[in-house]
Amino acid sequence: MVARVVVYGVGPIGQLITRAAFERGFDIVGAIDVDPQKVGRDLGEVIGLGKTLGIRVESDADKVLRDTKPDIVLHSTGSFFDRVYPQIMKAIRAGADVLSTCETLAWPWYRYPDLAELVDNYARSREVTVLGAGVNPGFVFDVLPAVLSVTLTRLDKITVIRSLDASKRRYSFQKKIGLGMTPSQFAEALSKGEITAHVGFAESVLLLASIIGLRLDRVEESQEALIAERHYETQYFKVEPGQVKGVVGHGSGFIGGREVIRVELRACVGCEDFEEVRLEGEPSITWRSTGTLGDPATAAVIVNLIPRVLSARPGLITLKDLVNYSYFTL
Ligand SMILES: NC(=O)c1ccc[n+]([C@@H]2O[C@H](COP(=O)([O-])OP(=O)(O)OC[C@H]3O[C@@H](n4cnc5c(N)ncnc54)[C@H](OP(=O)(O)O)[C@@H]3O)[C@@H](O)[C@H]2O)c1
């Protein structure tokens, strides 16, 4: 039977997810969003399909979920579990599995242990599965190095470096990394939560550690602005010399004061697109790619995970429960 899918959040990422799910033959039965520019319009039109789908984007989530009874909700409205959890609870109440791009849901016990327990208990009681996934967290900084580590007989340290050209990313990505702001505007907006830059360094470190069985005793994360030395222009922003052209940040995991996991992100206008995974141990290896295209990759990860989530155990799970092929620590 083809799974019945509701998309919850039809922003740029939700649109890519919807299109990928539609093209892969899933039965899209409903769409939820609060943006007045989308509510009331046909989903096919909103995602630029070139034809209507006979599904109207609606803002009343409870009604959509009650009327359509989906098997799974593909959720992409926000990055912070404490803000999106009421939406996730609605989907659970409707008896649907939830697959979300919410970054902090990738390892929810780090920032929100109480909420994680609440959602886990509720999902178990309703016999549904909730999973946070995507390209990062969800692949580049965590699942990818975990899988690559399977070729080592001794693992001492994992370093992942991801560099991406922000000018190729969606408007909301360029906005959240502060393009065109002055350094002080960036610092203030970041501290007030008006922009987030990258969310999920710590979640990726903890997810990776859990897959390979490393018991970390400390995790840290940080990020700062990269300043333009010349004029840049993207489809959405103009960046003058002295203004923010992107961000650089990292997450680290430590055991006994030794850094055993380090994930680094450099996202700026004009940055090179690549990922590099360095595994130190026996044997040491370096793996490098020409760069994963983050937005379509997120949609692909979500859609490819649908069957896995539909058959997963009930409760709040992480990709650790689905990835079973890596180096292991006794
Ligand atoms: N894990 C990963 O690898 C990964 C990758 C890509 C993106 N993400 C995350 O996925 C999320 C979606 O990305 P995006 O770029 O599409 O974000 P976006 O541009 O903010 O779009 C989100 C959409 O959801 C709507 N929305 C917000 N709150 C809602 C609610 N309570 N009920 C229904 N709809 C609601 C928004 O409407 P308004 O605009 O009116 O608020 C908007 O249409 C972001 O948090 C992003 O950081 C994660």
Side-chain angles (χ1 to χ4, degrees), residues 76-251:
S76 63
T77 66
S79 303
F80 296 100
F81 188 25
D82 59 340
R83 294 191 206 151
V84 304
Y85 98 93
Q87 302 153 32
I88 291 171
M89 295 297 264
K90 286 179 192 203
I92 299 173
R93 192 177 310 128
D97 289 333
V98 182
L99 184 42
S100 174
T101 61
C102 173
E103 289 94 332
T104 52
L105 197 56
W107 195 261
W109 301 280
Y110 175 61
R111 276 172 235 262
Y112 311 105
D114 296 344
L115 268 185
E117 193 183 340
L118 189 125
V119 169
D120 184 37
N121 286 335
Y122 193 39
R124 284 172 195 264
S125 74
R126 302 288 295 159
E127 297 193 349
V128 299
T129 308
V130 178
L131 173 68
V135 76
N136 212 20
F139 182 66
V140 176
F141 278 167
D142 34 61
V143 172
L144 172 67
V147 172
L148 291 172
S149 72
V150 79
T151 60
L152 275 73
T153 53
R154 195 193 74 239
L155 180 60
D156 300 327
K157 181 172 180 183
I158 300 178
T159 305
V160 187
I161 299 167
R162 183 181 192 204
S163 169
L164 60 90
D165 183 350
S167 69
K168 297 178 185 163
R169 302 297 297 268
R170 64 196 187 280
Y171 168 78
S172 47
F173 182 92
Q174 295 187 18
K175 185 167 176 258
K176 77 177 177 182
I177 63 169
L179 290 195
M181 289 181 164
T182 63
S184 58
Q185 283 170 337
F186 175 90
E188 193 181 336
L190 194 62
S191 71
K192 286 184 175 165
E194 290 163 3
I195 60 168
T196 61
H198 179 72
V199 180
F201 287 112
E203 282 79 0
S204 283
V205 167
L206 287 160
L207 174 59
L208 170 55
S210 78
I211 297 173
I212 60 181
L214 282 179
R215 282 171 289 276
L216 302 177
D217 42 44
R218 187 164 67 84
V219 175
E220 65 174 37
E221 57 177 7
S222 74
Q223 55 191 333
E224 61 190 70
L226 281 169
I227 305 304
E229 66 299 331
R230 64 170 177 86
H231 173 86
Y232 291 94
E233 210 163 317
T234 74
Q235 193 184 346
Y236 309 109
F237 291 92
K238 283 195 172 113
V239 181
E240 302 302 340
Q243 294 180 338
V244 174
K245 67 167 185 176
V247 292
V248 59
H250 87 285

Side-chain angles (χ1 to χ4, degrees), residues 39-62:
V39 175
R41 288 171 60 203
D42 187 90
L43 182 60
E45 187 195 320
V46 171
I47 69 168
L49 202 59
K51 63 174 185 180
T52 56
L53 288 174
I55 295 162
R56 220 180 267 279
V57 177
E58 295 182 52
S59 58
D60 186 341
D62 286 322

